[in-house]
Amino acid sequence: MKIAMFSSKQYDIEYFSQYAGQYYHQIDYFDTRLSEATVKMAEGYDAVCVFVNDRLNQQVLDELVNLKIKTVAFRCAGFNNLDLNQAKKLQMNCVRVPAYSPHAVAEHVLALLLTLYRSTHKSYNRVREGNFSLEGLSGVEISGKTVGIIGTGNIGSVTAQIFRGFNCEVLAYDIAPNHSWAAENNVTYVELSSLYEVSDIITLHCPLDEQNRHMINAETIRLMRQGVTLINTSRGGLIDTQAVYEALKRKHIGYLAIDVYEEEANLFFEDLSTDIVMDDLFMRLTTFPNVLISGHQGFFTTHALNQIAKVTLQNLQQVEQGVKCDNVLF
Ligand code: NAI
């Protein structure tokens, strides 16, 4: 297959180049994002390979089909950036990598939380400067906390198990609960409102869709405990960022850790250190001492990158050969 890869970075080239030959694919790498303005670049290719912030709306899908491209390979798990109905209508072949490494994201949740709770980012700098004072470094323990997991699929279930290992009580909510897994792992499913009311730590692991956009909003935050810790490594649109910002100012939210942001398409994956970032809300959040933001790096481990490259190329090969592919979206 001749594949146009959009939003590609040096690490995509590195990992995909290792495996492309094995699957007899030819890949051309474009660093630009796929959108209405760039879709023409796909002319002459058999498939496009896309990432989390490429735009696959109706117009882009129509143009792809116009260019005789009916295959879209997501090199990620989430596909909220796809107009699913239009893709179905056009009978496109959409494949993804559903579970390249749930541990990568689940462990990142703990990396963020431990940093926030134990200020390791501050001690790193202090010690390098010869400042061994402990003033202001007093931390919070995870042990004994009640953790609410929203979405207990691949990532949420691993996250729950890690929190059990930290001696936490783990509550969960999922629209399709897995009761046998919960029983085996001492996890208790509860109603979403109860999860909000009793959890000390709430971590989001459900996909973003039209029903749950801004599920964390002023109203649901009001249900939460004073000083609650909120973690989002799933998709930025699950959170009404303005409402969360207001709750941080009121000290209702005690800690916020996010790896995703609803307006991240304008920021993440680029070096903007010499630019003026125009997103005031985002920049304001970076000034809070109890907020930690990473730029959508939960997935970013060597194991996961190898898996993403292999599974994406295999998906494309199965589509090309017309054989059953387990990773089709519909
Ligand atoms: P998954 O499909 O294995 O699990 C999702 C779970 O959420 C399912 O059990 C589903 O029933 C549940 N669910 C769906 N809608 C829900 C709702 N409204 N309320 C509660 N539960 C709901 O997905 P996986 O692999 O665990 O990934 C979860 C999300 O993590 C992805 O959709 C993606 O947005 C995000 N992600 C983030 C990454 C990062 O680098 N930060 C990397 C990979 C995924």
Side-chain angles (χ1 to χ4, degrees):
M1 260 192 180
K2 208 171 161 214
I3 302 157
M5 183 183 289
F6 286 85
S7 302
S8 60
K9 300 286 177 198
Q10 199 47 46
Y11 46 81
D12 292 308
I13 300 173
E14 189 186 323
Y15 282 85
F16 274 83
S17 303
Q18 279 179 46
Y19 300 107
Q22 281 175 32
Y23 294 92
Y24 307 105
H25 294 312
Q26 181 203 318
I27 309 175
D28 287 337
Y29 299 92
F30 302 118
D31 59 6
T32 183
R33 247 189 285 152
L34 179 63
S35 68
E36 301 87 330
T38 62
V39 62
K40 282 263 189 268
M41 293 168 74
E43 187 160 12
Y45 290 89
D46 303 308
V48 291
C49 179
V50 296
F51 197 49
V52 294
N53 291 323
D54 288 301
R55 204 176 309 147
L56 291 126
N57 57 18
Q58 182 177 347
Q59 203 182 325
V60 171
L61 294 179
D62 287 348
E63 185 55 29
L64 283 174
V65 171
N66 205 23
L67 296 172
K68 301 190 174 34
I69 300 169
K70 292 203 99 177
T71 302
V72 177
F74 286 84
R75 54 182 192 282
C76 52
F79 52 91
N80 53 288
N81 47 339
L82 171 73
D83 183 334
L84 197 57
N85 289 333
Q86 187 64 6
K88 282 182 187 167
K89 202 169 123 195
L90 295 170
Q91 297 182 311
M92 300 188 81
N93 300 305
C94 298
V95 290
R96 65 170 180 145
V97 190
Y100 45 85
S101 176
H103 294 270
V105 184
E107 290 175 15
H108 193 65
V109 169
L110 271 297
L112 293 172
L113 186 61
L114 284 165
T115 306
L116 269 180
Y117 276 12
R118 303 307 299 270
S119 300
T120 46
H121 54 319
K122 291 184 188 160
S123 33
Y124 172 81
N125 285 323
R126 279 196 195 180
V127 169
R128 281 163 66 97
E129 288 173 6
N131 176 357
F132 305 107
S133 160
L134 297 183
E135 293 298 335
L137 295 184
S138 166
V140 176
E141 291 173 26
I142 296 175
S143 174
K145 294 272 184 291
T146 300
V147 180
I149 311 264
I150 300 180
T152 53
N154 292 309
I155 297 169
S157 60
V158 173
T159 308
Q161 285 158 232
I162 295 176
F163 275 114
R164 287 290 304 136
F166 270 81
N167 191 36
C168 293
E169 185 186 350
V170 178
L171 308 177
Y173 171 77
D174 195 300
I175 52 168
N178 181 346
H179 293 291
S180 58
W181 163 81
E184 275 164 32
N185 290 284
N186 284 315
V187 172
T188 310
Y189 280 110
V190 293
E191 288 301 317
L192 189 55
S193 55
S194 312
L195 183 148
Y196 287 144
E197 281 162 20
V198 301
S199 300
D200 301 301
I201 299 166
I202 296 174
T203 177
L204 305 180
H205 298 290
C206 56
L208 172 67
D209 58 37
E210 280 320 305
Q211 281 74 49
N212 65 14
R213 181 172 293 278
H214 284 187
M215 67 187 291
I216 305 298
N217 55 43
E219 207 177 307
T220 51
I221 292 168
R222 221 170 286 126
L223 299 175
M224 295 177 194
R225 281 190 159 178
Q226 189 70 26
V228 65
T229 296
L230 183 62
I231 306 170
N232 187 11
T233 57
S234 199
R235 281 295 179 266
L238 292 169
I239 285 184
D240 177 348
T241 316
Q242 183 68 36
V244 165
Y245 161 69
E246 300 293 343
L248 278 161
K249 282 205 296 185
R250 289 196 309 275
K251 301 196 175 159
H252 190 142
I253 293 181
Y255 293 93
L256 173 72
I258 52 174
D259 185 48
V260 286
Y261 172 57
E262 51 185 330
E263 302 300 332
E264 71 175 55
N266 301 325
L267 302 170
F268 287 3
F269 307 118
E270 303 302 329
D271 179 0
L272 303 180
S273 55
T274 55
D275 284 355
I276 295 173
V277 174
M278 302 304 280
D279 186 330
D280 291 347
L281 180 57
F282 181 86
M283 291 314 287
R284 181 73 176 93
L285 280 178
T286 64
T287 68
F288 285 79
N290 51 349
V291 173
L292 185 61
I293 307 177
S294 54
H296 208 138
Q297 71 175 83
F299 75 100
F300 201 57
T301 65
T302 50
H303 176 70
L305 288 168
N306 276 302
Q307 287 300 109
I308 288 169
K310 276 193 272 190
V311 175
T312 304
L313 293 168
Q314 193 179 47
N315 287 342
L316 285 163
Q317 189 181 47
Q318 288 168 341
V319 169
E320 186 181 28
Q321 294 174 346
V323 298
K324 185 174 176 293
C325 174
D326 290 333
N327 300 326
V328 287
L329 291 189
F330 49 86

